[in-house]
Amino acid sequence: MLEVETAFLNTFLLVARHGSMSEAARQLDLSPTAVAQQMRVLERELGTPLLLRAGRTVRPTEAGDRLIERAETLVRDAGQLRAWVHGQALQHELRVGTLATVLHSALPDILQAFTQRHPHTRVSIRAGLASQLYEMVAEGGVDLALTLRPAFDLAKTFCWQPLREEPLVLLAPAALAGQDPMQLLREEPLIRYDRTLGGGKLADQFLRDAGIAPRERFELNSLLAVAMMVARGLGVSMVPDIDAPFMREPTLARIALPQARARRALGLLWLRASPRQTLVLNFGECATAAMRPAP
């Protein structure tokens, strides 16, 4: 009975968080009909409407808002109960979410150090965007995430460990090293880093603040692909100064942008009540040692 009730409460929290039964269904790999049925059962059991429906969107009623406060605690406590029952079984697996940029840079060093500490722990890794990683942590899909700090204040149920701040740099072919970066942005074709991503947003804001209307050639959501295009002489790009081998290729020049103030803040995100708290903290120590501060 506990499993059914907490599952329905978790579904309710997803619906309330996203304002959509369809989105909750997608994340839970259920049909929208199944989600709607769970909500009807929950409302019938509690004897009050919990959601107000307006077209395809929903929002909590006053009773629904009150339930959110208790449901988060109940779902978390149920997870802790399972952890207590299983004892050390949960300490043999760690689920890690990560940005693709960390996957291609610091993660191998972190995993090497972590596996030396925990040689019998299986680590599964899922890559995603920062917004997706936050949801994975919030919903228990991963135990921790190497991600960007969210732009909003984190609830007290989350823990955040800062690891590295990365300024924007101009990535240019090696032949252009030493030239004025602002002039290069005005004259050379621009290979944009995707504006829907954190680093791409910083670059776009920098261009706006500087009053530069670049000659855009490509827009890509992979820093590795951006670096490859720049190395081929197809243009220049503004990217976060990540600590990755491909950023140090002799065919590339990383040119400081003296007017750039904003930095991309990378860190570790996890739930305070994680049943794998010991593994998470050890992983954080390995990440701190592996991720060198940016210039």
Side-chain angles (χ1 to χ4, degrees):
M1 188 64 179
L2 175 65
E3 179 69 30
V4 173
E5 290 177 352
T6 54
F8 285 16
L9 288 173
N10 185 58
T11 302
F12 169 75
L13 290 172
L14 275 178
V15 172
R17 184 180 298 130
H18 294 288
S20 168
M21 290 195 188
S22 297
E23 178 60 20
R26 186 187 69 79
Q27 295 199 16
L28 293 168
D29 198 22
L30 298 173
S31 69
T33 302
V35 169
Q37 176 63 23
Q38 286 188 18
M39 296 303 94
R40 284 194 292 270
V41 170
L42 203 55
E43 288 177 329
R44 186 168 63 248
E45 289 295 320
L46 295 175
T48 185
L50 300 172
L51 298 165
L52 293 173
R53 296 159 179 81
R56 295 185 178 182
T57 63
V58 294
R59 62 183 180 86
T61 62
E62 185 177 347
D65 282 330
R66 287 196 296 271
L67 177 60
I68 288 173
E69 297 177 13
R70 291 296 306 276
E72 290 176 341
T73 302
L74 289 169
V75 171
R76 183 174 66 248
D77 288 349
Q80 291 175 323
L81 179 60
R82 294 187 191 94
W84 183 81
V85 170
H86 288 283
Q88 290 300 312
L90 286 175
Q91 305 309 312
H92 294 299
E93 180 182 10
L94 187 68
R95 302 164 301 165
V96 177
T98 180
L99 297 172
T101 52
V102 182
L103 187 65
H104 297 147
S105 55
L107 190 59
D109 290 336
I110 298 171
L111 292 176
Q112 183 177 26
F114 181 78
T115 53
Q116 288 174 353
R117 291 190 183 195
H118 301 276
H120 303 297
T121 297
R122 177 181 178 272
V123 181
S124 58
I125 298 165
R126 293 179 62 185
L129 304 179
S131 58
Q132 295 170 329
L133 294 172
Y134 171 83
E135 296 293 345
M136 288 181 198
V137 173
E139 295 155 13
V142 296
D143 300 305
L144 60 95
L146 289 155
T147 185
L148 302 182
R149 182 176 179 87
F152 49 86
D153 291 335
L154 288 168
K156 293 180 180 179
T157 52
F158 290 92
C159 290
W160 172 258
Q161 177 185 332
L163 294 173
R164 176 182 165 92
E165 289 191 345
E166 298 170 336
L168 287 176
V169 293
L170 183 70
L171 205 61
L176 300 179
Q179 296 197 30
D180 176 51
M182 307 303 284
Q183 197 66 24
L184 290 176
L185 284 170
R186 292 187 180 94
E187 296 178 354
E188 296 294 320
L190 179 70
I191 302 172
R192 269 194 185 273
Y193 186 38
D194 191 338
R195 280 167 282 192
T196 65
L197 305 179
K201 290 177 182 177
L202 290 178
D204 187 55
Q205 189 61 53
F206 178 89
L207 290 170
R208 292 175 184 273
D209 292 344
I212 296 175
R215 294 195 293 125
E216 297 185 32
R217 176 163 280 174
F218 309 120
E219 184 163 359
L220 302 164
N221 66 0
S222 163
L223 277 182
L224 175 59
V226 167
M228 292 172 64
M229 300 296 176
V230 172
R232 297 276 181 112
L234 295 172
V236 300
S237 185
M238 278 192 300
V239 297
D241 193 12
I242 71 170
D243 186 22
F246 66 81
M247 291 282 283
R248 299 189 291 271
E249 288 292 327
T251 52
L252 294 172
R254 289 150 61 208
I255 305 174
L257 291 163
Q259 298 181 37
R261 295 289 181 265
R263 289 170 173 252
R264 194 177 80 149
L266 279 172
L268 206 64
L269 182 71
W270 73 95
L271 288 176
R272 193 175 301 277
S274 170
R276 296 184 173 93
Q277 189 77 215
T278 301
L279 290 179
V280 169
L281 294 177
N282 281 329
F283 190 94
E285 291 174 5
C286 296
T288 300
M291 298 188 76
R292 295 172 291 183

